Amino acid sequence: MEETWGSGQILCEVIPLLQTAPSELTELVQFLVETGGADLAANQPNAAFRKWCEVDPSRSDEVIQLAKDGNELARLHLVFALQAKADFDEAVACLDRSEEEQTAGVLALSRMHLNADQVLAAVEQTIALALAADIKTSCGITRAIYDIVAKDKDVDRSLLLPVLDKLFASIDDHVIHLAASLLNWHQVEMSEDETGKCLRQLASVKPENKGTIDEIDMALSKLVDRNEIQSASSAARAIIDISKGAIGSDALDSFFHKLTQGNSEQLARLTTDWLSSGSFFSCAALNQAISEINQIAPVFAVDEIPLPETADEQIFLCRKAIGYLFIHPMTAAAFSVAVLERGQPEAKQHAIDLLYDPLLLSYSGTLKDWLEAFAKDNETSRTDIEKVLQRAQIVWDGCREAREIVEFEPSESACAVVDFQKMEEAERTRDEAGRRSIFADLFTTQHLLYGDRSAFNIMTSAEELEQKTMPFSEISISSELPKGIFVDPIGLDMLLHQFRNERMVEQ
């Protein structure tokens, strides 16, 4: 296959120079396309055929006539002849012929340079074709229509809405992929109605359609870049929730990366919106996307968090933040601190209690340091934060004193014996597992060595071995484990489970 295609590449360079009949050349091009398979190499023979047609306009005329006469290979390659000839009238005339010729005409129009009058005429005719075609064919025509419309910014875009309404009445996979593709490649020029219709269609995507999900991911990322965060947020949440988490932060990694690495205020608004909804799957996806590793502050500032209006909604938000973002304690605490700064008076005591339990009873490292620094710079919540820190300090001191009971501490020699026994047992278990493994004869054993430098020998120009030393760079991360998983794992898990699953009481 590789040798065949290597010869094919040479032929692609030679094709524009050939003097032969179109019927014979189309057979050669088709053979090369099939040899190229499904990768991008299969496009090269078609490009070479288009260049062959450009050499002499009469060649395009011959291919067009063969297509009219019913030659199947000519119809397959008609679009390249039309594109090479750049004859608008001939491309439009193809729209009244066979299905293959119609497809070729539409694609050729989408690739030609057109003036404003030609764009309008082409759009009107191709829209009529799209409305009459089946779903799959209509999707292909609609994609070409959008490429045609992109050539003239003054076209009345309301002409496109009937086509979208017809297609978006279905949740066929082709329709959903079309919506994602249009939003990805044409969202800048799309009207608000077009964008809304495409976004609503995305929620029906199936988790196994990875190509469509990738298009959606890129489209949502571009919406974030254009500061259309509300539209992107609503669409992403619907996709995650309807798929019941099968499509999550990993599948929409570009979208979440834009959020977490971009404008922190956008992330704060999205996080507030999603937590306030209380939806399990979207909040769980948000938890996976956020990270506080090696951070000394929340992922967004307290004053960027838009609080709900009522005290009940503010308390609900704080509890959801702790339930879903508990492993990111500073960000979880930021919502309670925001309530202390700007919340309703009835919600402030609840916020203080949540800061104390479970947050400060579980985290006494970076969370404590951040709260102390925040209290120094903010008079509104300083007194409340200092009191809750003192309250938590009493518990920390008590735990430390209770742990230091000399009578319960084993001697150093006893600890050393136990450690040695554990190491021996672990080594015996590892060796035994390696001997019994079915992969023992298939893979070599590699040993990971620890140190601060690496030494190796190189051969010098004088054919002598010279030892070289390369120092290792230190790579480290820091993350604090919550004390609750050691002190009261059952109670902590039950509390977080309650926070995640409780619902707002409807008034």
Side-chain angles (χ1 to χ4, degrees), residues 264-265 267-269 271-272 290 297-305 325 331 334-335 370:
S264 62
E265 185 175 355
L267 179 59
R269 291 184 178 279
T271 305
T272 303
I290 290 176
V299 296
F300 40 73
V302 169
D303 58 1
E304 294 175 339
I305 299 173
L325 307 179
T331 304
F335 290 88
W370 172 70

mmCIF file of all heavy atoms in Angstrom, residues 264-265 267-269 271-272 290 297-305 325 331 334-335 370:
data_model
loop_
_atom_site.group_PDB
_atom_site.id
_atom_site.type_symbol
_atom_site.label_atom_id
_atom_site.label_comp_id
_atom_site.label_asym_id
_atom_site.label_seq_id
_atom_site.Cartn_x
_atom_site.Cartn_y
_atom_site.Cartn_z
ATOM 1 N N SER A 264 -11.378 34.868 34.727
ATOM 2 C CA SER A 264 -11.850 34.247 35.966
ATOM 3 C C SER A 264 -13.278 34.670 36.308
ATOM 4 O O SER A 264 -14.024 33.918 36.941
ATOM 5 C CB SER A 264 -10.911 34.592 37.127
ATOM 6 O OG SER A 264 -10.889 35.991 37.364
ATOM 7 N N GLU A 265 -13.672 35.863 35.879
ATOM 8 C CA GLU A 265 -15.038 36.307 36.145
ATOM 9 C C GLU A 265 -16.043 35.451 35.376
ATOM 10 O O GLU A 265 -17.123 35.129 35.884
ATOM 11 C CB GLU A 265 -15.201 37.778 35.767
ATOM 12 C CG GLU A 265 -16.570 38.341 36.128
ATOM 13 C CD GLU A 265 -16.684 39.832 35.861
ATOM 14 O OE1 GLU A 265 -15.658 40.447 35.484
ATOM 15 O OE2 GLU A 265 -17.786 40.374 36.019
ATOM 16 N N LEU A 267 -15.594 32.309 34.603
ATOM 17 C CA LEU A 267 -15.637 31.035 35.324
ATOM 18 C C LEU A 267 -16.481 31.159 36.583
ATOM 19 O O LEU A 267 -17.237 30.244 36.935
ATOM 20 C CB LEU A 267 -14.212 30.590 35.676
ATOM 21 C CG LEU A 267 -14.095 29.285 36.451
ATOM 22 C CD1 LEU A 267 -14.706 28.124 35.673
ATOM 23 C CD2 LEU A 267 -12.634 28.979 36.784
ATOM 24 N N ALA A 268 -16.382 32.284 37.282
ATOM 25 C CA ALA A 268 -17.169 32.493 38.500
ATOM 26 C C ALA A 268 -18.660 32.507 38.189
ATOM 27 O O ALA A 268 -19.471 31.905 38.920
ATOM 28 C CB ALA A 268 -16.754 33.797 39.173
ATOM 29 N N ARG A 269 -19.031 33.148 37.102
ATOM 30 C CA ARG A 269 -20.451 33.213 36.726
ATOM 31 C C ARG A 269 -20.975 31.834 36.330
ATOM 32 O O ARG A 269 -22.086 31.451 36.716
ATOM 33 C CB ARG A 269 -20.647 34.212 35.579
ATOM 34 C CG ARG A 269 -20.417 35.650 36.001
ATOM 35 C CD ARG A 269 -20.713 36.632 34.866
ATOM 36 N NE ARG A 269 -20.531 38.007 35.321
ATOM 37 C CZ ARG A 269 -21.438 38.698 36.010
ATOM 38 N NH1 ARG A 269 -22.595 38.131 36.311
ATOM 39 N NH2 ARG A 269 -21.203 39.932 36.395
ATOM 40 N N THR A 271 -19.747 28.897 37.266
ATOM 41 C CA THR A 271 -19.766 28.046 38.447
ATOM 42 C C THR A 271 -20.973 28.362 39.322
ATOM 43 O O THR A 271 -21.653 27.451 39.818
ATOM 44 C CB THR A 271 -18.463 28.230 39.261
ATOM 45 O OG1 THR A 271 -17.338 27.980 38.419
ATOM 46 C CG2 THR A 271 -18.424 27.281 40.439
ATOM 47 N N THR A 272 -21.258 29.635 39.520
ATOM 48 C CA THR A 272 -22.430 30.035 40.313
ATOM 49 C C THR A 272 -23.716 29.528 39.673
ATOM 50 O O THR A 272 -24.610 29.001 40.358
ATOM 51 C CB THR A 272 -22.484 31.566 40.451
ATOM 52 O OG1 THR A 272 -21.273 32.033 41.051
ATOM 53 C CG2 THR A 272 -23.656 31.993 41.302
ATOM 54 N N ILE A 290 -11.896 21.986 37.604
ATOM 55 C CA ILE A 290 -11.232 22.959 38.478
ATOM 56 C C ILE A 290 -10.095 22.273 39.245
ATOM 57 O O ILE A 290 -10.201 21.110 39.622
ATOM 58 C CB ILE A 290 -12.247 23.572 39.457
ATOM 59 C CG1 ILE A 290 -13.213 24.484 38.701
ATOM 60 C CG2 ILE A 290 -11.557 24.352 40.570
ATOM 61 C CD1 ILE A 290 -14.316 25.062 39.560
ATOM 62 N N ALA A 297 -4.747 30.619 46.479
ATOM 63 C CA ALA A 297 -5.991 31.400 46.505
ATOM 64 C C ALA A 297 -7.036 30.654 45.673
ATOM 65 O O ALA A 297 -6.703 29.756 44.909
ATOM 66 C CB ALA A 297 -5.760 32.810 45.959
ATOM 67 N N PRO A 298 -8.309 31.005 45.813
ATOM 68 C CA PRO A 298 -9.344 30.366 44.982
ATOM 69 C C PRO A 298 -9.096 30.609 43.497
ATOM 70 O O PRO A 298 -8.340 31.504 43.115
ATOM 71 C CB PRO A 298 -10.638 31.051 45.446
ATOM 72 C CG PRO A 298 -10.323 31.622 46.788
ATOM 73 C CD PRO A 298 -8.874 31.978 46.762
ATOM 74 N N VAL A 299 -9.759 29.828 42.644
ATOM 75 C CA VAL A 299 -9.556 29.969 41.199
ATOM 76 C C VAL A 299 -10.198 31.242 40.664
ATOM 77 O O VAL A 299 -9.930 31.644 39.535
ATOM 78 C CB VAL A 299 -10.103 28.735 40.445
ATOM 79 C CG1 VAL A 299 -9.339 27.495 40.821
ATOM 80 C CG2 VAL A 299 -11.589 28.547 40.706
ATOM 81 N N PHE A 300 -11.072 31.875 41.448
ATOM 82 C CA PHE A 300 -11.605 33.184 41.082
ATOM 83 C C PHE A 300 -11.811 33.990 42.361
ATOM 84 O O PHE A 300 -11.920 33.444 43.458
ATOM 85 C CB PHE A 300 -12.915 33.090 40.291
ATOM 86 C CG PHE A 300 -13.863 32.032 40.776
ATOM 87 C CD1 PHE A 300 -14.572 32.188 41.953
ATOM 88 C CD2 PHE A 300 -14.035 30.864 40.049
ATOM 89 C CE1 PHE A 300 -15.442 31.207 42.401
ATOM 90 C CE2 PHE A 300 -14.900 29.880 40.480
ATOM 91 C CZ PHE A 300 -15.605 30.046 41.655
ATOM 92 N N ALA A 301 -11.851 35.310 42.222
ATOM 93 C CA ALA A 301 -11.941 36.191 43.373
ATOM 94 C C ALA A 301 -13.350 36.190 43.965
ATOM 95 O O ALA A 301 -14.339 35.940 43.277
ATOM 96 C CB ALA A 301 -11.546 37.619 42.976
ATOM 97 N N VAL A 302 -13.436 36.493 45.251
ATOM 98 C CA VAL A 302 -14.712 36.523 45.961
ATOM 99 C C VAL A 302 -15.666 37.550 45.346
ATOM 100 O O VAL A 302 -16.858 37.295 45.185
ATOM 101 C CB VAL A 302 -14.477 36.821 47.450
ATOM 102 C CG1 VAL A 302 -15.791 37.127 48.156
ATOM 103 C CG2 VAL A 302 -13.761 35.666 48.124
ATOM 104 N N ASP A 303 -15.125 38.713 44.978
ATOM 105 C CA ASP A 303 -15.992 39.775 44.451
ATOM 106 C C ASP A 303 -16.479 39.497 43.038
ATOM 107 O O ASP A 303 -17.310 40.238 42.496
ATOM 108 C CB ASP A 303 -15.278 41.130 44.506
ATOM 109 C CG ASP A 303 -13.972 41.134 43.722
ATOM 110 O OD1 ASP A 303 -13.626 40.093 43.124
ATOM 111 O OD2 ASP A 303 -13.292 42.176 43.720
ATOM 112 N N GLU A 304 -15.987 38.433 42.388
ATOM 113 C CA GLU A 304 -16.448 38.069 41.042
ATOM 114 C C GLU A 304 -17.664 37.146 41.086
ATOM 115 O O GLU A 304 -18.298 36.904 40.061
ATOM 116 C CB GLU A 304 -15.318 37.392 40.264
ATOM 117 C CG GLU A 304 -14.143 38.322 39.961
ATOM 118 C CD GLU A 304 -12.990 37.591 39.300
ATOM 119 O OE1 GLU A 304 -12.933 36.354 39.440
ATOM 120 O OE2 GLU A 304 -12.159 38.247 38.657
ATOM 121 N N ILE A 305 -17.991 36.614 42.262
ATOM 122 C CA ILE A 305 -19.093 35.661 42.385
ATOM 123 C C ILE A 305 -20.420 36.412 42.422
ATOM 124 O O ILE A 305 -20.671 37.188 43.349
ATOM 125 C CB ILE A 305 -18.933 34.819 43.664
ATOM 126 C CG1 ILE A 305 -17.634 34.021 43.617
ATOM 127 C CG2 ILE A 305 -20.127 33.886 43.847
ATOM 128 C CD1 ILE A 305 -17.308 33.297 44.918
ATOM 129 N N LEU A 325 -17.324 20.974 45.447
ATOM 130 C CA LEU A 325 -15.949 21.492 45.333
ATOM 131 C C LEU A 325 -15.159 21.288 46.613
ATOM 132 O O LEU A 325 -14.202 22.024 46.876
ATOM 133 C CB LEU A 325 -15.989 22.985 44.969
ATOM 134 C CG LEU A 325 -16.811 23.373 43.738
ATOM 135 C CD1 LEU A 325 -16.762 24.877 43.519
ATOM 136 C CD2 LEU A 325 -16.314 22.642 42.500
ATOM 137 N N THR A 331 -11.766 27.509 46.941
ATOM 138 C CA THR A 331 -12.837 27.896 46.020
ATOM 139 C C THR A 331 -14.201 27.620 46.640
ATOM 140 O O THR A 331 -15.134 28.428 46.495
ATOM 141 C CB THR A 331 -12.690 27.126 44.691
ATOM 142 O OG1 THR A 331 -11.379 27.366 44.154
ATOM 143 C CG2 THR A 331 -13.741 27.566 43.692
ATOM 144 N N ALA A 334 -14.880 30.292 49.105
ATOM 145 C CA ALA A 334 -15.064 31.628 48.523
ATOM 146 C C ALA A 334 -16.541 32.009 48.453
ATOM 147 O O ALA A 334 -16.884 33.189 48.598
ATOM 148 C CB ALA A 334 -14.444 31.676 47.125
ATOM 149 N N PHE A 335 -17.424 31.036 48.256
ATOM 150 C CA PHE A 335 -18.848 31.347 48.180
ATOM 151 C C PHE A 335 -19.388 31.771 49.547
ATOM 152 O O PHE A 335 -20.184 32.705 49.643
ATOM 153 C CB PHE A 335 -19.612 30.136 47.642
ATOM 154 C CG PHE A 335 -19.354 29.866 46.186
ATOM 155 C CD1 PHE A 335 -18.299 29.074 45.777
ATOM 156 C CD2 PHE A 335 -20.162 30.448 45.225
ATOM 157 C CE1 PHE A 335 -18.050 28.839 44.435
ATOM 158 C CE2 PHE A 335 -19.931 30.222 43.874
ATOM 159 C CZ PHE A 335 -18.866 29.418 43.478
ATOM 160 N N TRP A 370 -5.184 31.485 53.467
ATOM 161 C CA TRP A 370 -5.909 32.398 52.581
ATOM 162 C C TRP A 370 -6.952 33.201 53.367
ATOM 163 O O TRP A 370 -7.099 34.412 53.160
ATOM 164 C CB TRP A 370 -6.591 31.615 51.455
ATOM 165 C CG TRP A 370 -7.497 32.496 50.647
ATOM 166 C CD1 TRP A 370 -7.132 33.501 49.790
ATOM 167 C CD2 TRP A 370 -8.934 32.502 50.679
ATOM 168 N NE1 TRP A 370 -8.253 34.114 49.274
ATOM 169 C CE2 TRP A 370 -9.370 33.522 49.791
ATOM 170 C CE3 TRP A 370 -9.888 31.728 51.345
ATOM 171 C CZ2 TRP A 370 -10.716 33.793 49.569
ATOM 172 C CZ3 TRP A 370 -11.235 31.993 51.115
ATOM 173 C CH2 TRP A 370 -11.635 33.008 50.248
#
